[in-house]
Amino acid sequence: MSTLDIPIAFQRSYENYETYPRNIIHQPSYFGTLEAHADHLEEAASTFLVASEKEAFVPIRDLHSNGQEPVKRNILDDYALKKWLGDQSSIDPVTSTRLGAVATKTDPKCRFIFISAGNSREPLKISRRMLTRILAYHQVMPCYLEFVSVFRLSKYARELRFSGFREQVVLQDHAVSSAVPSLGRSGRQIQLCYNLKGVARMTTEKSLLWSIRQAAFHHQFDVITGNTVWIVTKGNLDIKKKIQTLTGQDGRVEDRSFETPEQCLRSSLAVHLLHCHWSMENWRWYVQFLEDQVDHEVCGLEPKSDHLPQLMGMLQTDIAVHGPRERGEAVRAYSLTDLQNLQHYQDKINETIMVLEGNNEVLSSLGGFYRALLGNSAFLVRDACHEDICSFAKQVDEMIHDSSTQIARAKLLVRITSDRKDLVSQHLQSQTTQKMEDLTESMHKIGVASQKEAIIMRIITAVTLIYLPGTFVSTLFSTDVVRFHDGKEAFSKMALHRWLEVTFPLTIVTLFVAFLVFEFADKKRRTALSIFQDVEPGTLQSSVEDRVFLKG
């Protein structure tokens, strides 16, 4: 490979790649912004980038003109990356000077760099050294660090609320300072950074699961040479497979043609559409899944019921609304778990609305960006690609409309879920009231039985009070009113008179004493009740204490 004529500015920038983004040539932002990006990379690199290059895995796919086969390689370490880029330089260990050329290969017409992780909750399979080398070599706009940092080591999926679209348009003459003609870079280019989120279905042995996944995209397009760079960051490589199909031999010719800048732009628009279509896949079915789950949480019947055939024909959500709730009918017994599940799905629906609205904002910005380029006279391919850009923007608008339909559907489901939560809460209160009524009825039955037992005990007590004095007298005096001796009956009238003389007065005294004891107990009870009836609730405790003190 021959040595290329590399401008000093680019050479110095690339040699200091580890200081990215402080080293980039074109710095339209305030320098403090670059410092903030650099500090963030320094602090967060350990959370979203692998520490060892043994875990690195970066597929690169280079496409050339003239119908050449794609050149692809899986990069596993920084040395392989450096060699792939054409950097043959090295550091002299004695003089600490750089020897050799930093660039010996011209850029391909289209380069795809895929940065992935196991999923969005794991660090990216690329080291910091490799990442900064790629970003510095291609002079990537620093804000892309914001998009890739959402992929970090975490137990839960985070950063779903983050959506963004960043652009950088450099089409004027002053862009020549960042030009590298030997690499095929005119310096007049557009750069885009944006992220989108899709939803994927995962089928397990026990259930059907859904996962919201996000992807970050960086795109460069040189309006003079047509050279294109794509950096796709995602948890897995499913978008890589789609791009391989799009730009492979089975794809459309216009999607893999790079002979002219116009053809390169058309290919870039096709890749943008691929990303947009990916972000729109499966949302309809995910919202339907959430609808089914909400239905499931508010339905249910006992297996034995005369109403079962009729109610099975209802919508499941209607069971909570129109299902029987009368005593003796088949009803759904709700619990606090049902409320928790409904709240969980309501949170998922709100999350869906937020993600779809974020996607819509990004898609709207993407379509608006290319529409604005049609009015920029420095965008040299605008006339030749006017129809293509208009067609692209129209397709993006259609996707935004479809997404808005799902948003409206999800918002309706939020209201339905909220209503169902209120209804289930009322059913829970009704169930509690029913249990209290059942308990009250049971206590009433126990009270009636106790009342009957109390009447019987009173009868026994009365009989006892009547017969006790006579029994006591008979036992004490051993009166023999009637006596049997030698088979003969002997009646003692005197004994009967004496028994009556003692028994009647004693019975009267006994009943009178019992009456006095009852009256005393009843008076004490009425006094205790009057304390609670006559005293205000706030002074109950003090009044009781005063009465106790006075009695003492």
Side-chain angles (χ1 to χ4, degrees), residues 266-308:
R266 294 187 185 101
S267 175
S268 296
L269 295 177
V271 177
H272 280 306
L273 284 176
L274 183 148
H275 298 159
C276 296
H277 282 295
W278 168 82
S279 70
M280 290 298 300
E281 293 175 354
N282 296 324
W283 283 110
R284 172 189 173 189
W285 310 116
Y286 180 53
V287 174
Q288 181 173 321
F289 165 79
L290 293 174
E291 290 174 341
D292 293 341
Q293 293 303 308
V294 172
D295 287 347
H296 174 74
E297 290 301 327
V298 292
C299 75
L301 287 172
E302 297 295 334
K304 295 182 179 179
S305 170
D306 295 336
H307 299 269
L308 188 59

Side-chain angles (χ1 to χ4, degrees), residues 345-409:
Y345 287 116
Q346 186 173 2
D347 292 342
K348 288 293 183 182
I349 301 166
N350 285 323
E351 180 183 73
T352 299
I353 295 172
M354 175 199 65
V355 170
L356 288 175
E357 289 179 341
N359 280 353
N360 277 4
E361 291 293 331
V362 173
L363 295 181
S364 178
S365 298
L366 182 61
F369 172 78
Y370 278 98
R371 282 194 180 99
L373 287 178
L374 291 177
N376 192 331
S377 60
F379 189 60
L380 302 180
V381 296
R382 63 173 185 167
D383 294 331
C385 298
H386 185 278
E387 184 177 346
D388 300 284
I389 293 176
C390 290
S391 176
F392 166 79
K394 182 178 180 181
Q395 292 184 65
V396 171
D397 289 342
E398 290 175 353
M399 283 185 273
I400 293 175
H401 179 268
D402 291 342
S403 179
S404 299
T405 301
Q406 300 307 320
I407 291 174
R409 182 181 174 188

Side-chain angles (χ1 to χ4, degrees), residues 6-7 11 34 62 80 85 143 163 285 292 377-378 391 427 502 530:
I6 303 299
Q11 184 169 338
L34 297 180
D62 290 346
L85 295 176
C143 61
S163 293
W285 310 116
D292 293 341
S377 60
S391 176
H427 284 332
V502 177
S530 66

Side-chain angles (χ1 to χ4, degrees), residues 216-233:
F217 307 99
H218 170 76
H219 174 56
Q220 293 181 11
F221 175 74
D222 193 301
V223 299
I224 303 300
T225 65
N227 286 2
T228 304
V229 176
W230 290 94
I231 302 178
V232 179
T233 306

Side-chain angles (χ1 to χ4, degrees), residues 157-176:
R158 300 184 184 275
E159 302 286 357
L160 288 178
R161 296 181 179 89
F162 172 70
S163 293
F165 180 88
R166 307 287 186 273
E167 63 179 75
Q168 185 182 99
V169 180
V170 184
L171 299 177
Q172 304 302 325
D173 293 338
H174 62 76
V176 177

Side-chain angles (χ1 to χ4, degrees), residues 45-63:
S46 60
T47 62
F48 74 91
L49 301 174
V50 295
S52 173
E53 291 185 1
K54 294 180 180 180
E55 304 174 61
F57 181 78
V58 183
I60 296 181
R61 182 182 179 88
D62 290 346
L63 304 174

Side-chain angles (χ1 to χ4, degrees), residues 59-76:
I60 296 181
R61 182 182 179 88
D62 290 346
L63 304 174
H64 300 273
S65 58
N66 301 322
Q68 299 180 31
E69 287 291 327
V71 182
K72 49 192 177 181
R73 180 70 58 85
N74 294 330
I75 304 300
L76 304 179

